[in-house]
Amino acid sequence: MLRRDFIKLTAALGAASALPLWSRAAWAAEQPALPIPPLLLPDAQGKIALTLQTGEMNWLPAAATRTWGINGALLGPAVRLQRGKPVKVDIHNKLPQASTVHWHGLEIPGAVDGGPHALIHPGSTRTVSFTADQPAATCWFHPHTHGKTGHQVMMGLGGLVLLEDEESSQLPLPKTWGKDDIPVILQDKRLGKDGQIEYQLDVMSAAVGWFGDRMFTNGAAYPQHVAPRGWLRLRFLNGCNARSLNLAASDNRPLYVIASDGGFLAEPVKLTELPILMGERFEVLVDASDGKPFDIVTLPVVQMGMTLAPFDRPLPVLRIQPSLVQGVKTMPDSLVKLPALPPSTGLQERLLQLSMDPKLDTLGMQALMDRYGHQAMAGMSMDHGNASQASNDSMAGMDHGDMKAMDHGSMPGMDHGNMASMDHSAKPFDFSNGNMINGKAFDMAKPMFTTKRGQYEKWTISGEGDMMLHPFHIHGTQFRILSENGQAPAAHRAGWKDTVLVEGKRSEVLVRFNHLAKAEHAYMAHCHLLEHEDTGMMLGFNVVD
């Protein structure tokens, strides 16, 4: 790993490591148990019911925190689907505002995808029917209400989708839900003095994203999970609004990645650190047969706003406590056969240029420093130049050390020439459309382009001229990464994906859409830093025959 000495910082993981075994056990007993989302399967008629509702969580002793959830107070169930089997989902909205349910990662028609056009108003019900016909994968569902997605996710809306098929069911993997098959949904939050979730879409969060100062795992603060003594399957979801994570085991034991967003890899990939972007999922095998307890920690990352305490050092997010029960003893050497990449020559190509209004850039960075000090800049200067290569930067092996000062005024197709002469003193800067793709903020009424069903296309998503982190997500498809931020994709990122890293350079993906998406329910392509999405860095597109 890049920081082999990080384990020396075990003091940051709590004083427990210095305690005798008997004391350590008592300390661990005070930790909450990892909440396990209940499994929700279609009934005999293939029906599922989801209810968006309000609730409360007792995170602080002095106050109950108001939350939103799906079929519960916070987050939602794990919906288990079978490939090729139709399902009918009734979605009831009992929230005080309109919302949607987007099926992130599922290849289904635009009419049922749950994008921003598919609003469910308070007191209303929306019914969608679809058949997921794609390889087994860990996907998820969450709101996609334009301008309000960040707030609604922060309040607690989201849940897993466990798509299974015959091939995956035959793999010798841990399969006992909540025992050795363990969901790990990671989200940061900020609680005010009154114990309530603080959220504000302002010029700072529109620029760098909204971030918290606490981490929750399945809705609990640093929980523990008693697991069988053997191989464990951890299904990681980065459910944060804007925070990238870098996961590791506290004792440096290997993490074997077996699946990414869209399904299984050809074979396990051994890592000691697993960077995971917002909205991404990875399935990981970890060996607990030695019976020794360990933590899953998130290591510091280089990202503006995300370097503040307690994230400035390894932060434990889940304690694994092996029991005396024997579990799965072996890990498979191979998983599934991935199809070869088709030739990318001669394909329809599209360039998507991501950009931020220079005024938003300047005001957002200044607001960040005014509120949190220069340490929040993660080693970057206001002009984004000379970004330091901190020793803990491991995002896909990227080198940030040679990035030059970026000129936002020279982006292709964009005219910022009049920005300097504008009088912003008369009223506050309107950041609601401050983030753009190809020089345009999201237009609900006008899809940007049309693509053909069943045909491969090569999309290039460019962050050139903008050093912000952009996890770029495309609806209606699982794609293959050709290059990621100017480099070949890492082995664990070379399988099926629906999110790609873009940060100051270009990423190329090979996409194909197998379903239709008409203008009234267009597919979305957007940055999954939710505050960027909510302030314009999103486009709609159609798929036709």
Side-chain angles (χ1 to χ4, degrees), residues 275 393-398 484 487-488 490 492-493 501:
D393 178 18
S394 66
M395 284 298 294
M398 290 172 54
E484 190 162 44
Q487 299 181 4
H492 66 288
R493 303 180 65 82
L501 169 68

Side-chain angles (χ1 to χ4, degrees), residues 345-462:
T345 55
L347 300 180
Q348 167 74 51
E349 296 191 12
R350 302 185 190 276
L351 173 64
L352 307 183
Q353 175 70 54
L354 312 184
S355 62
M356 181 182 295
D357 189 309
K359 187 73 172 180
L360 173 58
D361 192 353
T362 300
L363 294 176
M365 299 308 105
Q366 189 61 58
L368 178 67
M369 289 201 296
D370 289 347
R371 197 174 304 182
Y372 295 108
H374 197 271
Q375 68 271 20
M377 292 295 290
M380 301 180 190
S381 62
M382 278 291 287
D383 66 358
H384 295 187
N386 303 317
S388 65
Q389 174 63 41
S391 62
N392 59 4
D393 178 18
S394 66
M395 284 298 294
M398 290 172 54
D399 176 12
H400 302 275
D402 62 353
M403 290 189 180
K404 309 300 181 185
M406 299 298 187
D407 176 9
H408 293 268
S410 62
M411 291 184 187
M414 294 183 60
D415 179 13
H416 294 292
N418 295 324
M419 290 297 295
S421 61
M422 292 175 64
D423 179 10
H424 297 280
S425 61
K427 59 182 179 180
F429 173 64
D430 180 9
F431 55 81
S432 60
N433 292 313
N435 286 296
M436 293 162 279
I437 302 178
N438 291 351
K440 298 178 181 179
F442 175 61
D443 186 343
M444 181 84 80
K446 189 176 181 181
M448 189 170 284
F449 56 82
T450 296
T451 184
K452 294 283 189 179
R453 176 162 65 170
Q455 294 185 6
Y456 280 107
E457 295 189 356
K458 179 182 176 182
W459 289 16
T460 299
I461 305 101
S462 173

Side-chain angles (χ1 to χ4, degrees), residues 6 21 32 88 100 106 167 201 258 312 363 414 431-432 515:
F6 91 89
L21 288 176
K88 183 177 182 180
T100 75
L106 292 186
E167 190 174 13
L201 184 57
I258 59 170
D312 56 344
L363 294 176
M414 294 183 60
F431 55 81
S432 60
H515 298 277

Side-chain angles (χ1 to χ4, degrees), residues 515-537:
H515 298 277
L516 300 178
K518 299 180 180 180
E520 57 268 29
H521 288 289
Y523 283 141
M524 299 293 114
H526 60 89
C527 178
H528 217 282
L529 194 157
L530 297 183
E531 286 70 36
H532 286 180
E533 169 191 331
D534 278 339
T535 55
M537 195 172 283

